[in-house]
Amino acid sequence: MADEFDKLKRELQSGTRVICLSGLTSVASKALVLSKLQAETGKSFAIVTESNSEMENWTTDLGYFVNDDQFAIISLPSFEADPYSGVSPHAETQERRAMALWQLGHLLKRNSSFVVLSARSLVQRTVTPDEIASLGCVLIRDKDSAPEALIEKLMAGGYVREDPIFGPGQFSVRGGIVDVWSPDAESPVRIEFFGDTVESIRAFDADTQLSTGQLNEIAIAPMREFAVSPQDLKDWAFFAKERFADDKFKRNLKDHTDFADEGEPFSGWEFLIPLVKPFTGTVFDHLADCVFVIDEPTAIEHTLATHYEHINNNFDAITEAGEIGLAPNDLFITPDDLRTKLEKTLSLELRALGKTAAGTDEEFAVGEATKAKPLFLFPASAKTTEIELQSRSTRKFHGDIAAFVTELGSRSKTNGEQNRTEIVVQTQGMAERIREILREYDTSLAANLIQIGDVSSGFEVPGFGLTLYTEEDIFGEITNESENRNFKSKITSRKSKLGAFVSDFRDLKIGDYVVHVDHGIGRFDGLQTISSQGADREFMLLIY
C-alpha cells in the first residue's frame, strides 16, 4: 500500500484534475487516509458528503486522526428547511453556517484545513467572502471603531440584545460600554469606548461579571450568513408588492408584508430576501484553494438530482396555490453551473467499489424511471487516475470478551513493529474498565493500546499496519439511528449496548461482564435477596 499511497501523493501534488481512490469502505478509514495525505502534502480539502449526518461522522473522525489544534476542521451543514415551506431555517443551523463561512475567510488564509460540507451546501447560493467578512468585525484596542456601527452590525448579523448577557449571540449596551458574546468564544467580552476609540477590551465571566483578562483585539463572528436590517425588510415589502401583484398572491403576500412594512422579520424571510439582496456567492467562492473530495459520487449525484427535482416541484406547487416564493435559480445554482464549477476544481473521488461498479450504477440510473434524472456530475466514463487502497471492517464481538482477547493475542503474535492495534473509547472511565478487563484475562497491554477519542466505526487498513476497534465493536452496536450522531441522547446509546452485551439475564454466569446504563462496565457476582418495602426481592450484585 505504501507504493499506492505515494502514487496518490504524487498525483495530487502534480495537479491531476480527477483522481479516483477505491477500496476504502468506511468514513473512519477514509478520514485516516486523508489526514495522512494532508500532513504530507499540505493541501486543504473540502469533503462533500451525502447528508448532514455523514458530515458529522466525517468531522468526528477527522478530529480524532488530525488531533492538532493548528489545523481547523470546519463543518458547513445545509439548511434542512424546505425553502418553499414558509419556515425559517433552524437558528442553530444558521449559526453553524455563518460560523463556517466566517472561519473559512480567517483560517484558510493562515493554515491548511479540512472543510466538510453536505451535498446540498454545495448548491446553496450564499454571500460572497467579502460580504461574510463585513458581517463580522475585528476590534483592536486604541483603534477607532464607532460603537453605533458595531451595534448596527450586531443586530443585522443576528445578535439579540439582552441585559445582562448570558449566552453566545447576545449583546448589551450601557453608555459607552458594549458587552458581546461571539459564538466562537468561550466567554463574553466587555468593550469600553472613549468616543469612537476602543479604550479597552476585557474578557469576563458571564455569571460573576468579573473580568478575567485584558485583550488587545477581539474578532466577533456573525450569527447568520444573511444580514438584514429593518430598512431591508421595508424595501423587500415594497418590491414584493410589485413582484407578486397578481391577485392570487394577495392573501399570502399580506401575511408577509404586515411584518415587513414595519421592518420586522417574518417566518421564512431568509428564502425571500434575495428579492432585494441577491445571493451572489457560492460555496466555491469560499473554497477556491481546496481539493474537493467527493465521498461516494454516485450517492452525491442521486442526492442532488432528487434535491433539484424536489425544489422544482415544490416551487410549482406553491405558485399554483397562490403562495409567494422565489425561483429555485435565485436560491440554488443550476445543475449546469454546478457541473461547470466542478470541472474547474481538483477532485479526489472516493469510490469504495471503484469506477467499474460506478459505471454499472450509472447505466441503471439512466434506465430507472422511478429515479430523478441523472445529472452526470461525476461520470464514471471520464478519464481519471484510479488508485486502490484497501480497508476492511473489524469484527463485531457483541460483548464476547474472551473472543476479543483471543483476537488481540493473535494480532500481538503476528504483527511486527510496523503494525499496531488501537482501542478507541470516549471516556477515561471506559478506558480504565477495559484495562481492568484485559488484565483479568492476563492480557499484556501494549503501549498506547487504548486511546481516548471518538471514531464512528472500527476498521483495518493492512497497508498502514493499523487495526482500530471502538467500544461499540467490543460491547455491541449502537442501534439508535438519528440524523445527527453528535446530538443524540447518550442514554439511548448506553441502553443499546446493554441489550447487545447480554441477550438474556438467564444466560448470566458469575464473573460475566455487563454494562449498566449509568455506571458502565461491571462484573456480575450473582443474585442477592434483600428486603425492600416489606418484601424480599432478588437483586443483581455488580462489582465495579
Side-chain angles (χ1 to χ4, degrees), residues 330-385:
D330 292 323
L331 305 175
F332 304 94
I333 60 177
T334 66
D336 288 340
D337 286 343
L338 175 60
R339 192 178 301 106
T340 299
K341 291 179 183 297
L342 286 169
E343 287 172 353
K344 295 178 181 178
T345 67
L346 299 182
S347 297
L348 175 60
E349 297 179 355
L350 304 181
R351 299 182 185 266
L353 301 180
K355 290 187 64 177
T356 301
T360 302
D361 289 340
E362 221 170 68
E363 292 177 12
F364 179 76
V366 171
E368 181 67 33
T370 60
K371 288 189 175 181
K373 182 181 178 182
L375 303 177
F376 298 110
L377 301 172
F378 319 102
S381 58
K383 184 179 180 180
T384 61
T385 299

Side-chain angles (χ1 to χ4, degrees), residues 114-365:
F114 289 101
V115 184
V116 190
L117 64 155
S118 65
R120 286 170 57 181
S121 287
L122 195 66
V123 300
Q124 173 80 51
R125 290 193 183 277
T126 184
V127 293
T128 65
D130 287 343
E131 287 173 317
I132 195 69
S134 70
L135 281 180
C137 62
V138 177
L139 300 179
I140 303 174
R141 194 169 61 183
D142 298 328
K143 298 289 185 180
D144 286 348
S145 182
E148 297 81 9
L150 172 61
I151 294 168
E152 184 178 336
K153 182 170 290 191
L154 291 173
M155 295 183 68
Y159 281 76
V160 177
R161 189 165 181 167
E162 293 281 353
D163 191 12
I165 64 176
F166 55 85
Q170 299 175 350
F171 76 100
S172 67
V173 182
R174 298 181 307 282
I177 299 175
V178 178
D179 291 349
V180 61
W181 197 333
S182 179
D184 60 340
E186 293 184 1
S187 61
V189 295
R190 180 160 292 148
I191 307 157
E192 294 188 37
F193 291 87
F194 183 75
D196 286 348
T197 302
V198 178
E199 190 171 49
S200 76
I201 306 173
R202 290 175 292 160
F204 69 94
D205 187 305
D207 294 327
T208 65
Q209 295 291 303
L210 297 177
S211 173
T212 57
Q214 287 278 358
L215 302 171
N216 288 322
E217 66 178 71
I218 180 67
I220 302 173
M223 289 293 291
R224 61 189 180 210
E225 66 198 275
F226 312 132
V228 64
S229 67
Q231 187 56 52
D232 292 328
L233 292 166
K234 292 177 182 179
D235 291 343
W236 179 88
F238 176 82
F239 286 105
K241 291 170 185 175
E242 290 186 347
R243 174 75 169 266
F244 304 104
D246 192 301
D247 281 345
K248 71 176 182 178
F249 298 118
K250 186 175 181 179
R251 181 174 180 177
N252 188 247
L253 177 63
K254 187 176 185 299
D255 290 341
H256 295 78
T257 56
D258 281 349
F259 291 94
D261 277 331
E262 301 300 321
E264 297 179 7
F266 49 85
S267 182
W269 68 263
E270 295 86 352
F271 301 118
L272 290 166
I273 201 67
L275 181 63
V276 292
K277 301 185 71 175
F279 299 156
T280 57
T282 72
V283 73
F284 293 91
D285 300 322
H286 298 266
L287 301 172
D289 298 325
C290 289
V291 175
F292 278 73
V293 178
I294 312 300
D295 185 21
E296 301 303 334
T298 301
I300 301 293
E301 164 95 19
H302 176 68
T303 295
L304 289 178
T306 302
H307 173 63
Y308 280 118
E309 183 178 63
H310 178 75
I311 59 175
N312 285 320
N313 290 342
N314 282 7
F315 175 67
D316 291 342
I318 67 161
T319 302
E320 185 176 343
E323 297 179 11
I324 64 174
L326 300 183
N329 290 356
D330 292 323
L331 305 175
F332 304 94
I333 60 177
T334 66
D336 288 340
D337 286 343
L338 175 60
R339 192 178 301 106
T340 299
K341 291 179 183 297
L342 286 169
E343 287 172 353
K344 295 178 181 178
T345 67
L346 299 182
S347 297
L348 175 60
E349 297 179 355
L350 304 181
R351 299 182 185 266
L353 301 180
K355 290 187 64 177
T356 301
T360 302
D361 289 340
E362 221 170 68
E363 292 177 12
F364 179 76

Side-chain angles (χ1 to χ4, degrees), residues 397-402 404 430 433-434 437 441 471-479 493-505 507-509 511-517 520-524 540 542 544:
F397 293 91
H398 301 289
D400 189 344
I401 302 298
F404 177 64
M430 179 63 77
R433 291 185 178 108
I434 290 179
I437 290 171
Y441 276 87
E471 58 188 274
E472 286 78 20
D473 294 331
I474 303 170
F475 300 115
E477 296 287 347
I478 293 179
T479 59
S493 298
R494 289 195 294 263
K495 286 181 179 178
S496 64
K497 289 179 192 176
L498 178 60
F501 198 64
V502 179
S503 59
D504 193 315
F505 287 121
D507 295 336
L508 281 174
K509 301 182 295 295
D512 284 350
Y513 289 96
V514 297
V515 180
H516 189 280
V517 170
I521 299 173
R523 188 179 68 245
F524 177 61
M540 296 174 63
L542 303 179
Y544 293 97

Side-chain angles (χ1 to χ4, degrees), residues 371-535:
K371 288 189 175 181
K373 182 181 178 182
L375 303 177
F376 298 110
L377 301 172
F378 319 102
S381 58
K383 184 179 180 180
T384 61
T385 299
E386 186 164 8
I387 299 170
E388 184 178 27
L389 298 176
Q390 286 289 343
S391 74
R392 52 179 174 258
S393 299
T394 47
R395 177 182 170 186
K396 311 302 178 186
F397 293 91
H398 301 289
D400 189 344
I401 302 298
F404 177 64
V405 169
T406 299
E407 179 158 317
L408 276 184
S410 65
R411 287 189 179 280
S412 65
K413 293 176 182 178
T414 58
N415 287 351
E417 292 183 359
Q418 300 304 313
N419 296 280
R420 72 183 192 278
T421 299
E422 289 183 12
I423 303 171
V424 181
V425 297
Q426 296 185 21
T427 65
Q428 186 63 46
M430 179 63 77
E432 291 300 326
R433 291 185 178 108
I434 290 179
R435 288 190 184 98
E436 182 179 345
I437 290 171
L438 295 180
R439 290 191 190 100
E440 291 193 11
Y441 276 87
D442 295 325
T443 302
S444 59
L445 302 180
N448 301 320
L449 171 66
I450 302 174
Q451 299 290 328
I452 308 299
D454 193 4
V455 180
S456 61
S457 65
F459 63 88
E460 181 179 0
V461 182
F464 285 165
L466 173 65
T467 301
L468 183 148
Y469 299 98
T470 66
E471 58 188 274
E472 286 78 20
D473 294 331
I474 303 170
F475 300 115
E477 296 287 347
I478 293 179
T479 59
N480 178 37
E481 293 183 1
S482 170
E483 273 298 297
N484 189 333
R485 70 188 294 266
N486 284 350
F487 299 100
K488 293 182 212 172
S489 165
K490 296 296 183 182
I491 294 175
T492 304
S493 298
R494 289 195 294 263
K495 286 181 179 178
S496 64
K497 289 179 192 176
L498 178 60
F501 198 64
V502 179
S503 59
D504 193 315
F505 287 121
R506 291 172 298 182
D507 295 336
L508 281 174
K509 301 182 295 295
I510 292 177
D512 284 350
Y513 289 96
V514 297
V515 180
H516 189 280
V517 170
D518 296 316
H519 305 302
I521 299 173
R523 188 179 68 245
F524 177 61
D525 212 40
L527 298 175
Q528 284 194 2
T529 301
I530 301 175
S531 294
S532 174
Q533 298 178 347

